[in-house]
Amino acid sequence: VNVLANIASILIIVELVIGNFANVFIALVNCIDLINRQRISSADGILSALAVSRIGLLWVISINWYFTVLNPDIYRKQTEIIICIAWEVTNHFSTWLATSLSIFYLLKIANFSNFIFLYLKKKERRVILVIMLGTFMLLFSHLVIAGILETMQMNENIGNVTQNTKLKDITTFLNMTALTLLNSMPFFISLICVLLLIYSLCKHLRRMRLHGKGSQDPSTKVLLKALQTVISFLLLLAVYFVSFTISGWNSKNPVTLLCQAAGLLYPSSHSFVLIWGNRKLKEAFLSVLWQARWC
């Protein structure tokens, strides 16, 4: 049991370190590029905001891991509430910004003759902005509801143990239901983006065959790169939510720690997928590795 706990803790520490490195790298490269060019593209803006939100998410997970595993004796109810709120905020923006990136790739790369799609394609910046503002309202509503439920539970008569237990079960169920619904929305939106990108790729390949051209043209490569990024996000997001739903926040069970280690693959490893799929970030990353090699 102790061996499993130690392995899980080592994995969590490694993932937190490499995840912070990857996200700080993305934010730093785009920040330097912004200073040099005095402008930033939509994709780089989303990537930078996503990197910052994931840095916050990783630090929240780090602090929670520190309190629950290394110092459980000083873990109080107030600390738990603050950490949960911080996790919900950073997790929300991390997930929805990645989803917005999937939508951006769909609008920018896919080709459909539908007039609604063409209209959205012309207004891609506005579409992303509206989505983020809409999701911010969802987050605010969820935090308000969660706060009301938490207040009701804290103000409940402590002497009535049975009633207090029932209320706690109800509030936990309502909070988890709301959180599950909020988290399932970006997953299904990203799934739709994947299916539409696959459909667009199939149409493009069919068109290339009809014109007697090969399948390795630039448009095909761009579509494949976008698909790799979105599919990797989808798979890692599924692992992340399943693992953290199973593990919960306040358990020191070794299996629970392993689930958390599996979930951390999403905010840490997906950032490397984004680096590898972006030419500017990839070149900067390889340049850093090359310089580090000769140090």
Side-chain angles (χ1 to χ4, degrees), residues 33-202:
D33 190 58
L34 172 62
I35 293 169
N36 291 335
R37 298 190 180 189
Q38 298 297 309
R39 61 184 295 276
I40 190 168
S41 66
S42 298
D44 288 343
I46 297 170
L47 281 170
S48 301
L50 177 58
V52 171
S53 67
R54 281 182 173 169
I55 291 167
L57 177 61
L58 288 166
W59 274 101
V60 170
I61 294 171
S62 304
I63 293 167
N64 181 74
W65 176 79
Y66 172 79
F67 278 116
T68 55
V69 176
L70 300 181
N71 281 295
D73 296 333
I74 61 172
Y75 194 60
R76 299 289 183 265
K77 184 66 178 177
Q78 290 81 1
T79 308
E80 180 188 346
I81 291 171
I82 292 169
I83 290 175
C84 283
I85 291 171
W87 178 81
E88 287 187 7
V89 171
T90 54
N91 173 71
H92 174 89
F93 284 109
S94 171
T95 305
W96 276 104
L97 282 165
T99 305
S100 297
L101 191 63
S102 301
I103 295 168
F104 175 81
Y105 285 147
L106 176 67
L107 294 175
K108 196 78 175 175
I109 298 167
N111 286 309
F112 296 104
S113 56
N114 185 281
F115 75 95
I116 296 175
F117 181 83
L118 293 174
Y119 175 79
L120 294 175
K121 193 179 182 76
K122 290 179 182 177
K123 306 286 184 181
E124 60 190 34
R125 280 176 175 264
R126 195 172 296 176
V127 169
I128 300 301
L129 181 62
V130 168
I131 288 170
M132 291 310 301
L133 287 174
T135 60
F136 179 78
M137 295 305 296
L138 284 175
L139 173 66
F140 179 76
S141 302
H142 173 64
L143 290 176
V144 169
I145 293 169
I148 292 170
L149 293 174
E150 186 65 34
T151 304
M152 287 172 59
Q153 187 177 326
M154 291 177 69
N155 292 337
E156 184 64 21
N157 184 10
I158 299 173
N160 194 337
V161 178
T162 304
Q163 189 175 353
N164 193 30
T165 304
K166 285 182 178 178
L167 182 63
K168 184 178 179 181
D169 291 340
I170 292 169
T171 54
T172 302
F173 173 76
L174 290 173
N175 196 30
M176 287 301 296
T177 301
L179 194 60
T180 303
L181 289 172
L182 281 174
N183 290 331
S184 62
M185 285 172 65
F187 177 83
F188 285 113
I189 290 171
S190 297
L191 180 61
I192 291 169
C193 289
V194 167
L195 295 174
L196 289 174
L197 281 169
I198 291 172
Y199 179 67
S200 179
L201 177 62
C202 291

